[in-house]
Amino acid sequence: PMPSLVAGAAGGGGGGKAAGAVADDDDDDAEASGTDGARAAFCELERDALYDEELAERHARYLSSPALAQMRSARAALPAHGQRGEFLRLLETGHRTILISGATGSGKTTQIPQYILEHAAETGRGSQCSIICTQPRRIAAISVAERVAAERGEGAPGTRGSAVGYHVRLEAHRGPDTRLLFCTTGVLLRMLCAGDSAVACSHVVLDEVRRTHACDARCTTAAPRRAAPRRAPFHEHRRI
């Protein structure tokens, strides 16, 4: 089945653990230790017209590359692709939060961040797009980053020219071209607790939010409230 969307909601939900379940490792708790009293906020990125053109050209090459035709077809066959247009419409109409739920294998994890990145490149706003996508475990953050980089026909995460990177507890692979950063929720909370400095980020994707997990609960509360004040209020919502 296709993923379902709820726009403008304030809380977490969706996939992940069932109610009462216990996390199967302590990645998030260890990485988020000492994160009480987060003060940092997200800020918008400055526009760079030349970089916008470069990112648009890269995306055009991706769409026209014969070597990636099979990968593009595989992505288009995923259930998430059927909701791509509606998801981007909700994003463009100024909803501050969009909740997405769908079956395992529908493409939520790998496709949603790419839709945001591709849309930014297509509309000439690639330089103002910087996405943080959280995963509940380190191995997931690394493997998803590698998968997304492969789907985009790019080099390894964090290498020159690759828009994908990852950051886990003791390992960070990101570079000047990184526009889509996969990390654990604990790393995101660390970013928000780094002091009074701002985190340059346009979108935050919280994947596999577990309502019973303390770290996830803190992320779903802290991240939206520290977003740049340019989207609609929480209470404006719509079900699809």
Side-chain angles (χ1 to χ4, degrees):
M2 289 186 180
S4 59
L5 310 178
V6 179
K17 307 291 183 180
V22 178
D24 55 8
D25 66 29
D26 61 350
D27 285 355
D28 290 338
D29 291 330
E31 292 173 349
S33 60
T35 58
D36 294 332
R39 293 166 294 175
F42 297 117
C43 67
E44 296 186 49
L45 288 78
E46 294 184 6
R47 185 173 184 182
D48 184 331
L50 291 178
Y51 197 43
D52 285 337
E53 292 180 7
E54 180 182 339
L55 293 174
E57 290 174 1
R58 288 185 194 176
H59 184 56
R61 288 196 298 269
Y62 163 78
L63 293 176
S64 61
S65 171
L68 294 172
Q70 186 174 359
M71 184 64 76
R72 292 195 300 270
S73 297
R75 290 184 59 197
L78 291 171
H81 187 75
Q83 292 280 7
R84 185 181 191 273
E86 183 63 13
F87 167 71
L88 293 176
R89 187 190 68 78
L90 290 171
L91 201 65
E92 284 296 303
T93 50
H95 289 289
R96 191 172 181 180
T97 306
I98 301 174
L99 303 186
I100 302 175
S101 64
T104 299
S106 62
K108 304 184 304 298
T109 296
T110 58
Q111 302 308 302
I112 296 301
Q114 289 192 77
Y115 294 162
I116 300 172
L117 189 61
E118 291 166 349
H119 182 63
E122 292 167 352
T123 55
R125 295 176 294 176
S127 63
Q128 292 181 294
C129 183
S130 180
I131 307 161
I132 296 176
C133 184
T134 68
Q135 294 294 317
R137 289 166 291 278
R138 286 172 289 169
I139 188 64
I142 296 172
S143 62
V144 173
E146 292 173 343
R147 171 62 186 179
V148 170
E151 288 187 0
R152 296 176 55 80
E154 299 178 345
T159 57
R160 186 174 181 81
S162 177
V164 184
Y166 67 83
H167 187 179
V168 295
R169 190 191 309 175
L170 299 176
E171 188 176 0
H173 288 257
R174 59 191 301 182
D177 293 315
T178 300
R179 294 283 147 180
L180 173 52
L181 180 70
F182 290 91
C183 66
T184 58
T185 49
V187 166
L188 174 57
L189 284 173
R190 279 285 186 186
M191 293 180 186
L192 292 174
C193 295
D196 296 323
S197 60
V199 178
C201 173
S202 61
H203 302 81
V204 177
V205 180
L206 303 177
D207 193 19
E208 293 192 32
V209 173
R210 299 159 291 178
R211 287 170 292 183
T212 59
H213 197 281
C215 191
D216 286 1
R218 279 182 284 172
C219 245
T220 54
T221 300
R225 295 189 182 281
R226 286 166 175 76
R230 60 186 179 90
R231 297 196 177 277
F234 286 123
H235 63 270
E236 295 184 9
H237 66 276
R238 178 175 177 182
R239 291 181 178 275
I240 304 299

